[in-house]
Amino acid sequence: MAVTLIRRVSLLPLPAKFRTPAPKTATFSEFEIPVSFSFTFLSHYFSSALRLDPCYYGDQQLHYSYDSDSFFASLIDGSTQKSHLGQIHAQLLVLGLQDSGFLITKLVNASSNLGFVAYARRVFDEFTDPDVFLWNAIIRCYSRHIVFADALEMYARMQAMGVSPDGFTFPHVLKACSGLPELEMGRRVHGQVLRHGFESDAFVQNGLVALYAKCGRIERARAVFDCLGERTIVSWTSIISGYAQNGQPLEALRIFGLMRKLNVKPDWIVLVSVLKAYTDVEDLGQGTSVHGCLIKMGLEFEPDLLIALTAMYAKSGQVMAARSFFDKMETPNLILWNAMISGYAKNSYAEEAVELFREMISKSIRPDSITMRSAILACAQMGSVGLARRMDDYISKTEYINHVFVNTALIDMYAKCGSVDYARMVFDRTPNKDVVVWSAMIVGYGLHGRGREAIDLYHSMQQAGVPPNDVTFLGLLTACNHSGLVEEGWDLFHSMKHYRIEPGNQHYSCVVDLLGRAGHLDQAYDFIMKMPIEPGISVWGALLSSCKIYRRVTLGEYAAEQLFSLDPYNTGHYVQLSNLYASVRLWDRVAKVRVLMREKGLTKDLGHSLIEINGKLQAFHVGDKSHPRSKEIYEELESLERRLKEAGFIPHTESVLHDLNQEETEETLCNHSERLAIAYGLISSAPGTTLRITKNLRACVNCHSATKLISKLVNREIVVRDAKRFHHFKDGRCSCGDYW
């Protein structure tokens, strides 16, 4: 408890450490001073030097010599609260010591150490003629507490006052330049470093390495590093971190190897960058070795290392291991939340990502744009329009409502959740649309087979003066491909050269698919043979798929051979070839493909479908009878099959790979997962409700034809997202126009 009182103070003998015979002394007799003391703080220091009781020792006048700087410096060093510093500052004013640069510098440093930045500045401003030490103290204070702009302002004022910087000034100024980042200012400071003769100062040079690295000028950082006469662990950390943060992980690892050869012992800071580098090159083995070293060094619980380990394991698909590190943090910071949510989302653990995002929000942790985009990606994977709407509503109440990257992710999310109209709403409300926003909307139209709208939007983009990029053309070609716009797609592909955009394998595969699905297989093959780059997996895959449609066995086998050579363990290629053989009833060759798959240890992916009812997702797989309402589902399925036959529907029996009899084939086809999902949707929702289904595989011809007719029979819109695109079934028609 602090009390304010006026006491008569008698000086008693001071402890020896405060005495000095030097001429610079202060002579005191009895005097009256106002005192505002927190007795628990000052009693330790004053008990042997000052007696606060109103007592007298005769009439003798006591004279003592004591070193005021040492005395008050000791008090300042022992301060743990702002009130302590205020009391000491008051005593300096009373005793006329407010002009002591040494003590005022101590006060500023102590205020900074305790986090009282504003108070440090007030103390500084009351000093009339600060020297370089006091300027350093306030610059250090601002730099340390990430108030970088004020640090640079004080440095500018220091120069204007004619005070020359020293070796302790530049590291903090360079840190401020790095933190903003302010490259141009940093370059000017670099010039001043040279003019003042600090080109050999290790601390200053380390600051320059960090500056250029953080500003993306890694070549300049390397030049400074190479000229260092004395390389400390800070030097190595700065350059390794610079390469890791600037997208050159291999060079970061190479320099780390050189550092180890020179027997420089790494600290946890450099190991954070090393882990990031191994994460970026996807070398989980070496990353795990570093993790083992961390355990031996007792560093595995350092917060920054926990973040790096979480990110490494999450990006490598080891989400359970990543979550174990995440859970070790009592209070995870935003970076750690982002690493875990992003790890879930990028490894298709969409539900876990959304749930973790909800947990983060419930704890009042403010997300950033990275968090938002990862959560949006997860929502897109789940395919729930209801969930997508809730995410959009949440973002509309934050500062990210007009954020370009967040809105781009929202456009992609809505398109992948089956609502291209909602995607267009986000597009229309986004200000300052750049090429990424335009391209996202064009890709969305392409995903839904709305080729004309994609081309119209492209023309609007041109009128807006926004030049397209490779993604724009990929979206346009996909839209043309899914809409059967052969001539338009062909012209758009050849227009890429006008923008000096080199087509990649994805662009070429779109053209092959465009030509092949239109029946121009020979032209598609010639197109592949004339490609200026080596045809990739997607190109040959597009040709094989077209061969299945038109039953071109020989050409299909050639395409399959190329695929088996490029990607021998991809199950999908073997299934495509089996589909081709099955379409022409070559059952012996189907059997050979099965044997080949068994020899390679490959199994066909099981088809499953998700349907959203009342905001909840239900999953079904082929022949599934595990649902609690399974009896009702199969009764509805049988009813649908009867109505289909009455309407004249003839099953496409070529859609199965097995050599079954007609009855077995038809039963197998009607039990496909999307048919079960449709039946469940019909018995679980009100008449007229749109059914939204997501399937992990490409829909078969039979289910596609059946769903068209079902949409008419039950008077429902049925939206199906398969592995390739969206199908909007309504009134007996599909948005793809049977061109898929």
Side-chain angles (χ1 to χ4, degrees):
M1 178 178 180
V3 294
T4 301
L5 58 154
I6 294 180
R7 296 280 178 94
R8 290 187 62 81
V9 181
S10 297
L11 296 180
L12 294 179
L14 295 171
K17 72 175 183 176
F18 295 130
R19 299 179 192 165
T20 174
K24 182 183 178 182
T25 60
T27 303
F28 299 93
S29 58
E30 291 183 338
F31 56 90
E32 291 185 350
I33 61 172
V35 187
S36 177
F37 285 130
S38 172
F39 287 113
T40 56
F41 164 59
L42 293 180
S43 60
H44 172 72
Y45 293 95
F46 281 125
S47 60
S48 61
L50 302 174
R51 183 180 297 279
L52 299 179
D53 296 325
C55 58
Y56 300 87
Y57 293 83
D59 296 328
Q60 182 180 4
Q61 187 175 3
L62 302 176
H63 296 268
Y64 291 100
S65 237
Y66 88 106
D67 186 340
S68 57
D69 283 358
S70 298
F71 177 73
F72 282 103
S74 182
L75 291 181
I76 293 169
D77 290 341
S79 301
T80 59
Q81 300 176 23
K82 184 179 178 181
S83 59
H84 297 167
L85 300 175
Q87 293 163 32
I88 295 169
H89 194 193
Q91 294 307 305
L92 295 180
L93 293 171
V94 169
L95 299 176
L97 297 174
Q98 69 272 16
D99 293 327
S100 170
F102 170 73
L103 292 177
I104 296 301
T105 300
K106 292 282 286 185
L107 267 178
V108 171
N109 281 327
S111 300
S112 173
N113 293 340
L114 295 175
F116 306 124
V117 178
Y119 183 71
R121 177 60 181 270
R122 196 174 81 191
V123 172
F124 175 87
D125 286 342
E126 291 176 1
F127 198 83
T128 55
D129 188 23
D131 59 11
V132 66
F133 303 108
L134 188 50
W135 283 107
N136 286 350
I138 193 64
I139 292 171
R140 169 185 174 273
C141 174
Y142 280 131
S143 183
R144 179 181 180 185
H145 292 281
I146 319 179
V147 192
F148 297 131
D150 286 353
L152 295 183
E153 179 192 349
M154 297 308 290
Y155 178 62
R157 285 182 55 186
M158 171 185 173
Q159 292 178 297
M161 296 284 289
V163 179
S164 296
D166 63 12
F168 295 96
T169 313
F170 288 119
H172 302 300
V173 174
L174 290 169
K175 179 184 176 183
C177 292
S178 303
L180 284 173
E182 183 56 66
L183 177 61
E184 192 54 41
M185 179 66 176
R187 292 177 65 181
R188 291 200 294 268
V189 174
H190 190 176
Q192 292 164 356
V193 166
L194 298 175
R195 284 197 297 274
H196 287 282
F198 290 101
E199 61 272 12
S200 298
D201 188 297
F203 293 105
V204 174
Q205 296 301 307
N206 288 341
L208 286 169
V209 174
L211 164 74
Y212 287 122
K214 289 181 180 178
C215 290
R217 300 300 177 89
I218 191 64
E219 70 287 345
R220 296 291 299 274
R222 182 59 181 271
V224 176
F225 176 82
D226 288 341
C227 292
L228 284 174
E230 177 188 356
R231 293 173 182 167
T232 65
I233 183 60
V234 177
S235 313
W236 291 100
T237 299
S238 297
I239 194 65
I240 292 171
S241 173
Y243 276 115
Q245 296 296 334
N246 282 281
Q248 298 189 45
L250 291 175
E251 186 63 15
L253 294 172
R254 192 189 70 79
I255 296 178
F256 177 66
L258 177 61
M259 169 186 153
R260 298 297 292 135
K261 287 181 181 179
L262 296 174
N263 294 319
V264 180
K265 185 178 180 180
D267 60 8
W268 67 268
I269 301 175
V270 74
L271 292 177
V272 169
S273 296
V274 171
L275 282 172
K276 183 185 184 311
Y278 280 127
T279 300
D280 290 344
V281 299
E282 299 181 0
D283 191 340
L284 182 61
Q286 288 297 324
T288 304
S289 298
V290 175
H291 182 194
C293 292
L294 293 176
I295 295 173
K296 293 178 182 178
M297 297 166 69
L299 297 172
E300 71 270 25
F301 297 114
E302 281 288 342
D304 286 350
L305 284 171
L306 281 176
I307 294 171
L309 288 169
T310 301
M312 180 183 75
Y313 284 110
K315 188 173 180 180
S316 301
Q318 306 292 324
V319 292
M320 298 300 291
R323 185 58 187 262
S324 70
F325 291 110
F326 177 87
D327 291 337
K328 288 178 182 178
M329 290 283 284
E330 292 183 9
T331 54
N333 61 17
L334 180 59
I335 298 175
L336 194 57
W337 284 100
N338 284 348
M340 196 65 244
I341 294 172
S342 173
Y344 275 139
K346 291 179 179 178
N347 287 285
S348 299
Y349 288 82
E351 289 187 52
E352 290 83 352
V354 172
E355 186 58 36
L356 194 60
F357 178 72
R358 286 175 176 151
E359 181 183 340
M360 175 183 172
I361 299 302
S362 70
K363 294 183 177 181
S364 300
I365 298 171
R366 187 176 179 181
D368 62 9
S369 65
I370 297 173
T371 326
M372 295 295 195
R373 282 179 279 169
S374 296
I376 292 169
L377 173 62
C379 291
Q381 291 171 359
M382 292 185 72
S384 166
V385 174
L387 181 61
R389 290 295 304 277
R390 290 193 291 275
M391 175 60 71
D392 191 7
D393 289 342
Y394 173 79
I395 290 171
S396 68
K397 299 170 185 174
T398 71
E399 66 269 32
Y400 299 106
I401 184 171
N402 292 322
H403 193 284
V404 171
F405 292 120
V406 172
N407 278 352
T408 302
L410 284 174
I411 292 169
D412 178 70
M413 174 190 72
Y414 273 130
K416 289 178 178 175
C417 288
S419 182
V420 73
D421 294 327
Y422 280 134
R424 183 57 189 257
M425 287 173 59
V426 177
F427 174 83
D428 289 338
R429 80 183 187 211
T430 304
N432 305 318
K433 301 177 185 65
D434 63 5
V435 65
V436 180
V437 178
W438 287 95
S439 299
M441 192 65 242
I442 290 172
V443 169
Y445 278 134
L447 194 60
H448 289 262
R450 292 164 70 164
R452 294 296 178 188
E453 284 137 305
I455 293 173
D456 289 344
L457 190 63
Y458 172 61
H459 292 153
S460 298
M461 177 182 177
Q462 290 177 307
Q463 292 172 3
V466 179
N469 61 13
D470 59 326
V471 178
T472 314
F473 281 105
L474 185 59
L476 287 166
L477 291 171
T478 301
C480 292
N481 182 20
H482 288 168
S483 305
L485 302 176
V486 180
E487 291 184 9
E488 291 86 344
W490 184 259
D491 291 340
L492 284 166
F493 174 79
H494 288 286
S495 72
M496 292 177 68
K497 61 185 177 184
H498 299 314
Y499 296 96
R500 297 182 179 180
I501 298 173
E502 291 294 328
N505 259 296
Q506 287 183 299
H507 299 95
Y508 284 108
S509 66
C510 277
V511 175
V512 171
D513 207 30
L514 180 70
L515 295 171
R517 290 185 185 280
H520 308 303
L521 282 105
D522 293 330
Q523 186 181 350
Y525 175 76
D526 291 340
F527 179 77
I528 294 174
M529 293 297 100
K530 294 176 182 178
M531 282 175 56
I533 60 175
E534 192 69 26
I537 296 169
S538 60
V539 173
W540 292 113
L543 183 62
L544 177 57
S545 180
S546 297
C547 288
K548 188 267 178 186
I549 296 172
Y550 293 98
R551 304 179 183 180
R552 292 282 297 272
V553 175
T554 303
L555 185 58
E557 287 177 329
Y558 179 76
E561 288 174 8
Q562 309 308 311
L563 287 168
F564 296 159
S565 174
L566 292 170
D567 193 16
Y569 294 97
N570 188 319
T571 304
H573 307 324
Y574 298 90
V575 173
Q576 280 276 54
L577 183 59
S578 290
N579 287 336
L580 172 59
Y581 288 145
S583 69
V584 292
R585 309 187 71 80
L586 294 174
W587 302 116
D588 57 331
R589 297 192 189 184
V590 170
K592 288 180 180 179
V593 174
R594 290 183 198 153
V595 171
L596 186 60
M597 290 176 67
R598 280 198 298 270
E599 289 175 350
K600 292 182 176 293
L602 302 176
T603 56
K604 183 178 182 293
D605 294 332
L606 294 177
H608 66 263
S609 296
L610 298 172
I611 183 169
E612 181 185 5
I613 299 293
N614 298 324
K616 294 184 179 180
L617 294 173
Q618 299 284 338
F620 296 90
H621 57 78
V622 61
D624 194 348
K625 294 185 179 181
S626 63
H627 196 277
R629 301 182 66 183
S630 180
K631 183 179 179 182
E632 297 173 73
I633 292 170
Y634 276 90
E635 287 175 352
E636 180 66 21
L637 197 60
E638 290 174 6
S639 174
L640 286 174
E641 290 303 313
R642 283 196 302 270
R643 295 175 67 181
L644 284 170
K645 288 183 178 180
E646 290 170 0
F649 176 73
I650 301 175
H652 292 253
T653 56
E654 294 171 0
S655 296
V656 292
L657 299 183
H658 307 290
D659 186 10
L660 306 174
N661 61 42
Q662 185 72 15
E663 183 178 344
E664 291 173 322
T665 298
E666 292 182 13
E667 182 180 356
T668 299
L669 288 171
C670 75
N671 288 343
H672 280 187
S673 62
E674 60 265 53
R675 301 280 284 278
L676 295 172
I678 291 171
Y680 173 73
L682 292 173
I683 66 173
S684 304
S685 60
T689 303
T690 299
L691 303 183
R692 299 183 182 277
I693 298 168
T694 302
K695 182 177 173 65
N696 67 321
L697 303 176
R698 184 172 178 270
C700 71
V701 175
N702 183 73
C703 286
H704 186 270
S705 299
T707 305
K708 281 196 300 180
L709 188 51
I710 290 172
S711 71
K712 183 176 182 179
L713 294 174
V714 300
N715 194 27
R716 299 275 195 119
E717 181 179 1
I718 303 173
V719 181
V720 178
R721 172 189 174 184
D722 69 9
K724 292 290 184 179
R725 57 167 297 160
F726 275 90
H727 302 265
H728 295 257
F729 300 96
K730 190 175 182 179
D731 298 327
R733 293 187 297 271
C734 179
S735 60
C736 72
D738 295 335
Y739 194 87
W740 60 286

